[in-house]
């Protein structure tokens, strides 16, 4: 028989019913339990009162929010506005500009694919308060503005203070009978914010977890002197500066203490989170908790996205040896089997080399661990190659010299079970050059994983017209199996398909032309070829080669104004690192050329030059679907992969490019005859390096090149300051590492072929169809499936799980 209710029970029941109002109490309890599951900290066997409090508060908030909104409508919106424009609302959303160039965007594509392939994966990073700067062009120069992307809040994130973790800096190391202790440290708290990452039509939502730095309550207060309280509270900013701003360098290493703090901060917080989740039992269960970490590599894979999270290797060693008390040998085996490293660049100025003195001060225990890793590593190399002292020097994790430095790429290779490049040619280059010694020692470690892009964002979302035209021919399954685009080869001679593809491109161009007119007050010819070069501004990406083509084309039109020229609108965009003088001068040169070309009545609308200000993902989503020609013109052997090249290809642009990065595989997939390939190949570049690159010889031999350079150096494009571009001219003539002049002739001839084909719209569009049909390989679903099977030991799944309101 049921026990009679006490007065207190009755009051509780009334309060629950009162809270529920007319709502079903069962629904309320279900909602409460769902929130409790979400709130529950999994490394505790039972929920705390705080967990119950938050679950209850969130349940009440859910109940209130709908009524709150309804009340405001009742008070203030007697005549509610209907017919909201979805695109207008999308434009209000801020870009989360939490990376520099392709690296952060690649990670976003990977998160999309991991969720779409049913892989239990987290993406970890820093929640920068200020992301990549907003670029303004003022009088033709780049001016940076802070990217205050959080000023109106971020509706997609959820703070998770219950998972907050301490991160230690500075201090000193004590070697005691009980083991090693890192003491007298400064503590910064890492507060996680979770963003949902939905898979494609499979009801799976993974997590991106970004860490924000918070000062602990007692920060600087325990030792402040009389009257120092206010300053101590203000000094909390010093701790919280760690997640304040993204360093805006792409492919360039800047060895600042704050940057090393950022790198260790994200690693230390993430590894605590990983170990906590590994130790915790099944979700919501209060049973057995794992205490033995020897099976960590069977359950956890850590992929190091470049060397920026390299500190994961010594930090995991510190946790396993100092905290969990494992032997060095056992700990090292776990670390190597857990970690894998992706290399993203071969440029020497981009490779991270941290001064030992900085480590000694900031992370003294990690320096000891790195020294011990290096000692054992060199011991092994000595046994394999006795007497080869030069090899020992080359392979050491510590570079000797005026300033002793830690080579983070070497640390990553030694501490990982797999090392990969991001395009076939790049993976070969790292084995042949930068990491040759390591490849000879451990060839089985080295793999290739050619980059990819998500077709959900980079076709279906940004180019719905083209996605629909494709779906009408081959169905919708290609969206999750991009290899099916091969079926479009059956339609390459189909007149109606050719027309449909051309029509979608023209509509996209008209729309983008209207956008440009609104933004730049410049009328452009939508029937002109949209020739687009968008990426970070860097000497190796050779925006200067594009400039020389523009000047050459301009000079030719001026020379023969009555000839039938293929009209072009040349658009160049991208940000320069604020401290990169040459890159900023390149932007000024482009805008100065535009000022002359765009205002010359002889040229008219046959040639226009537009600098696309503040290039970012949301602008890419507009310009890429409208592009006819994609410029991928880096010096062979310098661009690791590129992903913009794939986006243009998938959206029906043709590529003019060198045999560099993923361009090589794009030519293989679509047929080399369907890309405009020009310039030196890697062996040609190496041969020219051996022989010695002499820019002046090209300048003397090629009249159009000489004319263009003389115009730049003589002030034709900067009449009020004739020597404005003297530094660029000096670089091109005397110390151009990227050999612009060596590819000039071939580039100009290749551009002539482009112009000729554009005059035959049907043949152009057939070539476009060949390219779209060859895009299957460049889905990030393929890339991630290969990482999963060949590095992480996981099997992707296309299974759809039940929605929350479906029966389990």
């Amino acid at each position: 028989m049921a026990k009679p209710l006490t007065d207190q029970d009755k009051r509780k029941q009334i309060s629950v019913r009162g809270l529920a109002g007319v709502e079903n109490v069962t629904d309320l309890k279900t909602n409460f339990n769902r929130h409790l599951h979400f709130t529950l900290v999994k490394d505790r066997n039972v929920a705390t009162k705080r967990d119950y409090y938050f679950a209850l508060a969130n349940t009440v908030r859910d109940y209130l929010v709908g009524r709150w909104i309804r009340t405001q409508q009742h008070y203030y919106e007697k005549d509610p506005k209907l017919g909201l424009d979805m695109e207008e609302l999308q434009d209000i959303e801020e870009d989360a500009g939490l990376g520099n160039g392709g690296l952060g965007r690649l990670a976003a594509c990977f998160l999309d694919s991991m969720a779409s392939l049913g892989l239990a994966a987290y993406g970890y990073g820093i929640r920068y308060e200020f992301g990549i700067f907003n670029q303004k062009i003022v009088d033709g120069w780049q001016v940076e503005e802070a990217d205050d992307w959080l000023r109106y809040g971020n509706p997609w994130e959820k703070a998770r203070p219950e998972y907050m973790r301490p991160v230690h800096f500075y201090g000193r190391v004590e070697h005691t009978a009980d083991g090693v202790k890192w003491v007298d440290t400064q503590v910064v708290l890492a507060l996680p914010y979770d963003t949902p990452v939905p898979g494609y039509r499979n009801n799976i939502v993974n997590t991106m977890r970004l860490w924000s730095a918070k000062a602990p309550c007692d920060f600087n207060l325990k030792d402040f002197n009389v009257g120092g309280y206010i300053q101590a509270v203000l000094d909390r900013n010093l701790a919280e500066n760690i997640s304040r701003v993204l360093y805006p360098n792409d492919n360039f290493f800047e060895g600042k203490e704050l940057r090393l703090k950022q790198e260790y901060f994200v690693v230390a917080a993430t590894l605590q989170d990983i170990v906590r989740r590994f130790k915790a039992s099944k979700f919501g269960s209060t049973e057995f908790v794992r205490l033995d970490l020897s099976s960590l590599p069977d359950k956890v894979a850590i992929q190091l996205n470049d060397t920026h999270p390299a500190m994961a290797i010594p930090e995991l060693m510190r946790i396993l040896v100092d905290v969990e008390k494992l032997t060095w040998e056992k700990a090292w085996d776990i670390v190597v089997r857990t970690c894998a490293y992706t290399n993203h660049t071969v440029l020497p100025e981009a490779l991270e080399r941290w001064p030992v003195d900085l480590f000694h001060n900031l992370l003294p225990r990690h320096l000891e661990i790195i020294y011990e890793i290096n000692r054992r590593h060199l011991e092994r190399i000595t046994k394999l190659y006795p007497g080869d002292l030069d090899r020992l020097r080359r392979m050491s994790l510590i570079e000797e010299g005026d300033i002793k430095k830690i080579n983070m790429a070497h640390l990553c290779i030694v501490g990982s079970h797999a090392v990969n490049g991001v395009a076939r040619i790049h993976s070969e280059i790292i084995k042949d050059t930068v990491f040759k010694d390591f490849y000879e020692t451990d060839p089985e470690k080295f793999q290739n994983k050619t980059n990819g892009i998500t077709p959900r964002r980079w076709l279906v979302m940004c180019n719905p017209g083209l996605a629909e035209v494709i779906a009408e021919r081959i169905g919708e399954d290609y969206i999750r199996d991009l290899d099916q685009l091969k079926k479009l080869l059956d339609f390459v001679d189909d007149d109606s398909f050719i027309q449909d593809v051309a029509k979608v491109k023209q509509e996209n161009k008209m729309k983008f032309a209207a956008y440009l007119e609104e933004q730049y007050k410049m009328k452009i010819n939508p029937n002109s070829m949209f020739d687009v070069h968008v990426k970070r501004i860097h000497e190796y990406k050779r925006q200067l080669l594009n400039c020389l083509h523009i000047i050459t084309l301009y000079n030719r039109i001026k020379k023969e104004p009555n000839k039938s020229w293929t009209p072009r609108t040349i658009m160049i965009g991208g940000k320069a690192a604020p401290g990169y003088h040459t890159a900023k001068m390149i932007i000024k040169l482009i805008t100065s050329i535009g000022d002359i070309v765009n205002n010359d009545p002889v040229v008219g609308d046959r040639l226009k030059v537009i600098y696309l200000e503040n290039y970012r993902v949301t602008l890419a989503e507009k310009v890429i679907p409208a592009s006819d020609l994609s410029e991928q013109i880096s010096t062979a052997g310098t661009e690791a992969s590129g992903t913009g090249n794939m986006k243009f290809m998938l959206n029906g642009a043709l590529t003019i490019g060198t045999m560099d990065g993923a361009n090589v595989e794009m030519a293989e997939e679509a047929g080399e005859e369907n890309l405009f390939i020009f310039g030196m190949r890697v062996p040609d570049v190496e041969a020219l390096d051996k022989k010695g690159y002499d820019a002046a010889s090209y300048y003397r031999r090629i009249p159009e090149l000489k004319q263009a350079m003389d115009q730049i150096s003589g002030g034709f494009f900067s009449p009020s300051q004739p020597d404005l571009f003297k530094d660029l001219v000096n670089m091109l003539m005397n110390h151009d590492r990227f050999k612009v002049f060596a590819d000039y002739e071939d580039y100009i001839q290749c551009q002539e072929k482009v112009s000729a084909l554009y005059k035959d719209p049907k043949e152009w569009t057939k070539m476009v169809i060949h390219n779209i049909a060859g895009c299957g390989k460049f889905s990030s679903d393929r890339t991630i499936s290969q990482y999963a099977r060949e590095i992480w030991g996981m099997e992707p799944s296309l299974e759809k799980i039940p929605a929350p309101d479906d029966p389990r």
Side-chain angles (χ1 to χ4, degrees), residues 266-315:
V266 66
V267 156
T270 297
L271 282 174
Q272 288 180 73
D273 210 41
I274 288 170
V275 170
R276 173 190 60 75
R277 204 176 316 111
F278 171 78
K279 284 183 172 182
S281 44
K282 281 175 83 172
F283 189 74
S285 163
T286 58
E287 294 159 25
F288 154 84
V289 173
R290 279 195 206 97
L291 295 174
D292 179 11
L293 274 85
S294 57
S295 63
L296 186 76
D298 304 326
K299 298 290 181 185
V300 172
I302 296 172
Q303 192 69 37
L304 305 173
N305 195 25
D306 214 329
T307 56
H308 312 139
M311 290 301 298
I313 291 164
E315 172 64 6

Side-chain angles (χ1 to χ4, degrees), residues 151-180:
R151 66 189 174 282
Y152 300 115
N154 174 10
W156 302 111
E157 69 182 7
K158 171 91 174 74
R160 305 300 302 274
E162 66 273 28
Y163 293 123
M164 191 142 57
R165 288 290 176 262
V167 176
H168 298 259
F169 294 101
Y170 304 108
R172 58 191 174 80
V173 182
E174 283 183 354
H175 292 262
T176 71
D178 297 336
V180 183

Side-chain angles (χ1 to χ4, degrees), residues 515-793:
Y515 171 82
L516 288 178
E517 195 173 338
E518 181 197 323
Q519 293 292 309
Y520 299 98
K521 310 294 174 243
M522 181 189 277
K523 249 192 149 22
I524 60 167
N525 175 7
N527 297 312
S528 64
M529 182 200 307
F530 283 14
D531 172 348
V532 181
H533 196 180
V534 285
K535 51 188 75 245
R536 286 296 290 256
I537 309 299
H538 201 296
E539 287 159 84
Y540 89 84
K541 294 177 186 283
R542 296 204 297 191
Q543 284 90 357
L544 285 170
L545 183 57
N546 196 342
C547 287
L548 291 174
H549 173 246
I550 297 170
I551 296 170
T552 304
L553 202 50
Y554 171 75
N555 289 333
R556 287 180 177 185
I557 295 169
K558 291 285 280 185
K559 193 177 174 188
E560 298 182 86
N562 298 320
K563 198 173 158 185
S564 170
W565 299 100
T566 302
R568 287 196 191 218
T569 301
I570 300 176
M571 308 177 204
I572 305 179
K575 294 173 183 178
Y580 189 177
H581 170 72
T582 303
K584 290 186 137 181
M585 288 309 303
I586 291 169
I587 292 174
K588 178 59 175 172
L589 177 62
I590 297 163
T591 57
S592 300
I593 293 168
D595 288 341
I596 299 295
V597 170
N598 299 342
N599 293 297
D600 191 321
V602 175
V603 173
D605 69 357
R606 291 178 292 185
L607 181 60
K608 291 286 181 213
V609 179
I610 294 176
Y611 199 88
L612 295 174
E613 185 179 78
N614 203 32
Y615 182 64
R616 60 203 185 282
V617 170
T618 44
L619 186 52
E621 289 167 348
K622 292 180 169 74
V623 67
I624 292 173
S627 301
D628 293 306
L629 186 67
S630 161
E631 301 268 355
Q632 307 296 334
I633 60 177
S634 52
T635 312
T638 62
E639 188 74 87
S641 166
T643 48
N645 46 4
M646 303 168 187
K647 293 163 192 173
F648 282 99
M649 184 184 187
L650 184 58
N651 281 276
L654 297 183
T655 301
I656 185 165
T658 51
M659 277 298 203
D660 197 23
N663 296 356
V664 178
E665 290 160 82
M666 286 162 51
E668 193 176 281
E669 294 297 305
E672 198 172 321
E673 69 281 6
N674 293 310
L675 278 79
F676 296 99
I677 297 293
F678 74 94
M680 297 178 287
R681 312 307 209 245
V682 168
D684 304 320
V685 175
E686 288 169 349
L688 190 52
D689 275 326
K690 261 201 188 99
K691 174 186 156 200
Y693 168 63
D694 176 20
S697 65
Y698 298 92
Y699 170 82
R700 289 191 297 268
R701 184 172 62 76
I702 307 164
E704 286 185 305
L705 174 59
K706 182 178 188 300
Q707 182 189 6
M709 288 304 296
D710 289 350
Q711 287 169 307
I712 296 169
S713 62
F716 181 83
F717 297 106
S718 54
S720 63
Q721 198 180 337
D723 67 346
L724 180 61
F725 300 114
K726 67 175 188 303
D727 289 352
L728 287 183
V729 171
N730 179 46
M731 182 274 290
L732 285 169
M733 295 296 293
N734 299 307
H735 43 90
D736 176 13
R737 294 164 57 202
F738 303 104
K739 306 176 179 63
V740 169
F741 292 0
D743 278 341
Y744 169 82
E745 260 183 316
D746 204 12
Y747 181 54
I748 299 296
Q749 285 168 12
C750 198
Q751 288 282 20
E752 289 167 7
K753 291 180 195 161
V754 174
S755 290
L757 186 67
Y758 193 75
K759 287 187 162 157
D760 186 341
K762 186 171 181 180
E763 286 306 308
W764 179 279
T765 306
K766 283 168 82 166
M767 198 180 274
V768 164
I769 294 166
H770 275 285
N771 273 267
I772 297 170
C775 275
K777 177 177 184 175
F778 305 107
S779 169
S780 48
D781 295 346
R782 186 268 317 152
T783 311
I784 287 299
S785 295
Q786 289 182 335
Y787 275 101
R789 293 184 177 117
E790 297 164 26
I791 297 180
W792 305 333

Side-chain angles (χ1 to χ4, degrees), residues 418-519:
V419 175
N420 71 280
V422 288
R424 192 200 306 131
I425 187 175
H426 168 60
S427 296
E428 291 304 313
I429 287 168
I430 64 176
K431 292 191 296 189
D432 294 344
T433 60
V434 273
F435 304 143
K436 185 172 191 283
D437 294 320
F438 293 92
Y439 174 64
E440 287 172 358
T441 307
D442 294 299
E444 74 292 340
K445 270 191 186 184
F446 287 77
Q447 305 188 16
N448 172 244
K449 297 286 170 278
T450 299
N451 282 162
I453 57 171
T454 169
R456 271 76 64 180
R457 177 168 299 275
W458 294 112
L459 179 59
V460 179
M461 207 204 82
C462 72
N463 200 345
L466 182 57
E468 186 57 37
V469 163
I470 294 169
E472 283 168 6
R473 291 348 191 257
I474 65 170
E476 283 187 17
D477 286 354
Y478 75 89
I479 297 168
R480 58 160 63 85
D481 177 15
L482 207 62
D483 280 326
Q484 292 193 26
L485 289 178
K486 283 193 180 78
K487 294 177 184 173
L488 293 177
L489 291 174
D490 295 342
F491 300 92
V492 81
D493 294 310
D494 180 317
D495 283 345
S496 78
F497 186 58
I498 292 168
Q499 278 171 10
D500 285 352
V501 170
K503 181 168 176 274
V504 166
K505 179 61 71 179
Q506 198 53 36
E507 285 167 356
N508 290 339
K509 288 174 71 174
M510 299 284 281
K511 189 175 177 184
F512 193 64
Y515 171 82
L516 288 178
E517 195 173 338
E518 181 197 323
Q519 293 292 309

Side-chain angles (χ1 to χ4, degrees), residues 13-41:
Q13 201 174 63
I14 290 164
S15 78
V16 168
R17 289 212 172 102
L19 172 69
V22 294
E23 299 283 337
N24 187 321
V25 175
T26 309
D27 288 349
L28 196 72
K29 286 179 177 174
T30 304
N31 201 5
F32 176 84
N33 282 326
R34 189 174 287 167
H35 275 297
L36 185 60
H37 269 289
F38 186 73
T39 305
L40 199 60
V41 179

Side-chain angles (χ1 to χ4, degrees), residues 352-449:
E352 294 195 296
R353 297 173 164 96
W354 287 104
V356 163
D357 288 347
L358 190 56
F359 256 82
H360 180 70
N361 184 37
L362 189 70
L363 299 166
R365 178 56 181 148
H366 297 78
L367 181 61
E368 290 186 349
I369 290 168
I370 289 168
Y371 275 147
E372 181 60 14
I373 292 170
N374 195 41
R375 187 188 69 76
R376 290 168 182 249
H377 160 60
L378 293 181
E379 205 171 71
R380 175 176 175 241
I381 300 305
T382 302
K383 281 180 187 154
L384 290 171
Y385 305 96
D388 192 345
L389 294 178
D390 201 48
R391 183 181 291 264
L392 279 182
R393 179 190 58 75
R394 292 195 308 266
M395 294 183 76
S396 177
L397 309 191
I398 311 295
E399 294 180 356
E400 301 294 338
D402 293 347
I403 300 172
K404 276 172 87 167
K405 291 179 178 175
I406 302 165
N407 185 311
M408 301 306 272
H410 290 185
L411 175 62
C412 286
I413 296 168
V414 171
S416 297
H417 69 279
V419 175
N420 71 280
V422 288
R424 192 200 306 131
I425 187 175
H426 168 60
S427 296
E428 291 304 313
I429 287 168
I430 64 176
K431 292 191 296 189
D432 294 344
T433 60
V434 273
F435 304 143
K436 185 172 191 283
D437 294 320
F438 293 92
Y439 174 64
E440 287 172 358
T441 307
D442 294 299
E444 74 292 340
K445 270 191 186 184
F446 287 77
Q447 305 188 16
N448 172 244
K449 297 286 170 278

